[in-house]
Amino acid sequence: MKAARLEDGTLHIRDVPVPVPGDEEALIRISASGVCHSDLHLARGDWRGVPRSGTIGHEAIGVVEALGPGAEHFVHEGDRVILGLGGAGGYWCGACEYCLRGQPRHCKETKGIIGTFAECFAVWAPSLVQLPDTIGDQEAPLACGGLTAYGAVKKLLAHHVLPGRPVAIIGAAGGLGHYAVQIALAFGYEVIGVDVGAERLEFVRSLGAHLAVDADEAIDVVQREVGGVDASLVFSAKMAGFGLGLKLLRRAGLFVAVGLPATSEGNLELNPFELFMLDPTIIYSAVGTVQDMRELVDLAAAGRVKSHVSRVGALSDLAVIFEELEAGKYTGRAVITDLTR
Ligand SMILES: [Zn+2]
Ligand SMILES: [Zn+2]
């Protein structure tokens, strides 16, 4: 079968053996795999210490083709499924302190899902979520981009930011941000989308955001309109977006970091006196749980969350798509819908 591999940062399409599903694993024939910005970060070596070789791709929709021993308890041949959980949590033990606390990402046994830019992929069957036919293959980015946004918005509830309250989404037109706008609206928040440039702001408005503001004007507009937000969700890949997220908060607000800027972007600066004055709660949110994936699939099935896909292609287009993403050629996501060539 065909599969994309990074070898020292260079992308190759190789012929490799079809994997054999192990215990409790299902073999999935991939029908679509989304191109996530983290694939590009990996290829470009943007994160210090993360290897630039190996299989890639982690957001996919496919059909169960074969079952390993025990997998029949979770899925059946022919089931159409989404491979949720992105780069963390394709397997978890279910019994450690983190798993029992609902944070399987921190489980020592966690294995990521990585390698879905391939015709087939073997995955731990309990992590699969069934898809209704009303959700098309182009919704594959829900598996990481959508799930990551869902996990971040859901944390607002855990930190007592109530529906109806104003929240800022920084990077609102982006691959994750555009999901967060839709999900936060579905949860009932007053959504202030922050991005850069008229075209991107128009897109944020089209998603139904109550306000769409340019990053340059965000502090003034947010102060004037709502006197500061209860929470900032930062999806930006730039450190400036993180700084802005803190400045938009009202006192004792919630700061949810989601983006992962390149190491070269440096560090987030925090001044202790400002911390004393502002008293923010600062958390990070990465991917989500299988239960989050199920809830997001329900929202998508109800038509309340949709992926904005600007480009589809075949496996052999991947290198070109990386270049297009790097050049910021389109606002939405790219999805590989033909894994056979
Ligand atoms: Zn991703
Ligand atoms: Zn565990």
Side-chain angles (χ1 to χ4, degrees), residues 80-100:
R80 192 161 164 268
V81 290
I82 185 161
L83 286 67
L85 299 196
Y91 173 82
W92 65 99
C93 82
C96 72
E97 62 175 301
Y98 296 110
C99 285
L100 291 172

Side-chain angles (χ1 to χ4, degrees), residues 171-310:
L176 276 73
H178 84 286
Y179 288 118
V181 170
Q182 299 174 70
I183 294 163
L185 287 168
F187 274 57
Y189 291 105
E190 183 181 345
V191 174
I192 299 167
V194 181
D195 215 297
V196 177
E199 195 187 334
R200 294 176 73 86
L201 293 178
E202 196 43 53
F203 173 52
V204 174
R205 255 174 234 117
S206 77
L207 297 171
H210 296 93
L211 262 178
V213 289
D214 203 280
D216 283 346
E217 298 161 2
I219 294 174
D220 290 345
V221 173
V222 165
Q223 256 324 310
R224 189 179 68 228
E225 298 292 327
V226 295
V229 292
D230 284 36
S232 289
L233 295 110
V234 183
F235 294 90
S236 174
K238 297 282 170 204
M239 206 49 73
F242 282 68
L244 179 61
L246 273 177
K247 290 197 180 79
L248 296 182
L249 287 181
R250 67 176 64 212
R251 284 178 165 228
L254 176 69
F255 180 87
V256 187
V258 193
L260 268 186
T263 311
S264 60
E265 280 282 307
N267 299 323
L268 177 62
E269 281 189 18
L270 290 171
N271 176 279
F273 194 81
E274 281 174 35
L275 282 183
F276 161 68
M277 293 300 290
L278 193 61
D279 192 16
T281 299
I282 298 178
I283 62 168
Y284 192 86
S285 184
V287 291
T289 65
V290 168
Q291 181 54 29
D292 293 337
M293 190 74 245
R294 293 179 186 132
E295 291 166 12
L296 178 59
V297 163
D298 288 345
L299 274 186
R304 305 191 71 177
V305 177
K306 244 185 116 39
S307 301
H308 178 58
V309 175
S310 311

